[in-house]
Amino acid sequence: MSTHPITPDEQTLVGWREWVGLPGVGVEWLKAKIDTGAQTSSLHAFGLKEFERDGAPWVRFQVHPWQRSADDAVTVELPVHDRRRVRSSSGHTEKRIVVMLDVRLHGRILPAEVTLTRRDAMGFRMLVGRELLSGDFLVDSAASFLGDRPPREVRRANKRVGERVPEKTSRRTFRHPAED
């Protein structure tokens, strides 16, 4: 990290919501809310199951990339990086599993600590927190989707409940490279 403060000219401008990707686990596009009130990023994870592999704690979960749909679910297995207590905006405290994921934002791939939780009541599958944004991004709270966008058919399919995205498989599994 640099020792001089980064000026706004050196920062990438993001809106309050952006398209992101999780390239290390095969999730090409996901709508995310940029949340400067959250320290750590958070991912909506389905079917969370903890297990041991070679004596180390791991977690298996599913990512449903499309809002209001289980189509094209991706099953992910990763080592547990940490466990943390997280306080929601409503004041509720929850202990969450933390995993390391690469997050693609505005064409840049950044390693991030990501907590796993059920976000059923929320409109976004992912929250991007301050740790991922720090120093490199400037948030324009009046703007949306300033970065990369998926093709139009993907954006349209994401708006429709239960419709599949063209030319995708319905279930995929990605395992951590350490397993190979």
Side-chain angles (χ1 to χ4, degrees):
M1 184 154 192
S2 69
T3 56
H4 74 281
I6 294 176
T7 67
D9 292 341
E10 297 173 292
Q11 292 178 313
T12 301
L13 192 63
V14 296
W16 72 272
R17 56 187 175 164
E18 292 289 345
W19 285 98
V20 300
L22 306 174
V25 296
V27 176
E28 195 62 29
W29 297 106
L30 190 69
K31 273 187 186 176
K33 179 180 178 183
I34 307 302
D35 187 355
T36 59
Q39 179 176 341
T40 308
S41 297
S42 177
L43 179 66
H44 187 23
F46 293 84
L48 229 60
K49 300 274 190 225
E50 294 185 63
F51 63 99
E52 274 194 24
R53 180 172 289 153
D54 299 324
W58 280 60
V59 64
R60 178 182 305 114
F61 59 96
Q62 284 192 336
V63 177
H64 297 181
W66 314 121
Q67 293 178 242
R68 301 171 300 276
S69 174
D71 287 343
D72 299 316
V74 178
T75 301
V76 178
E77 293 181 354
L78 291 170
V80 173
H81 176 69
D82 198 5
R83 295 173 198 280
R84 300 215 181 113
R85 291 206 179 279
V86 177
R87 185 181 317 267
S88 71
S89 58
S90 65
H92 175 72
T93 300
E94 173 186 29
K95 190 163 190 173
R96 295 185 190 170
I97 294 172
V98 180
V99 296
M100 291 300 297
L101 281 172
D102 284 339
V103 178
R104 187 188 69 245
L105 176 61
H106 278 259
R108 294 164 57 188
I109 297 174
L110 306 158
E113 291 182 337
V114 178
T115 66
L116 304 176
T117 187
R118 289 295 301 260
R119 295 184 41 78
D120 291 322
M122 304 302 196
F124 292 90
R125 297 292 195 203
M126 185 168 189
L127 294 180
V128 174
R130 292 189 310 271
E131 286 178 350
L132 192 136
L133 299 168
S134 69
D136 296 328
F137 296 94
L138 187 63
V139 180
D140 180 347
S141 62
S144 294
F145 306 119
L146 299 176
D148 300 334
R149 291 177 180 227
R152 183 180 205 147
E153 65 271 9
V154 173
R155 293 193 316 264
R156 283 189 170 170
N158 192 45
K159 289 181 181 179
R160 293 184 217 123
V161 177
E163 271 192 44
R164 291 181 43 99
V165 174
E167 300 178 29
K168 287 236 179 211
T169 58
S170 61
R171 300 266 183 223
R172 295 169 288 167
T173 301
F174 286 84
R175 291 183 172 78
H176 191 270
E179 181 184 339
D180 296 335

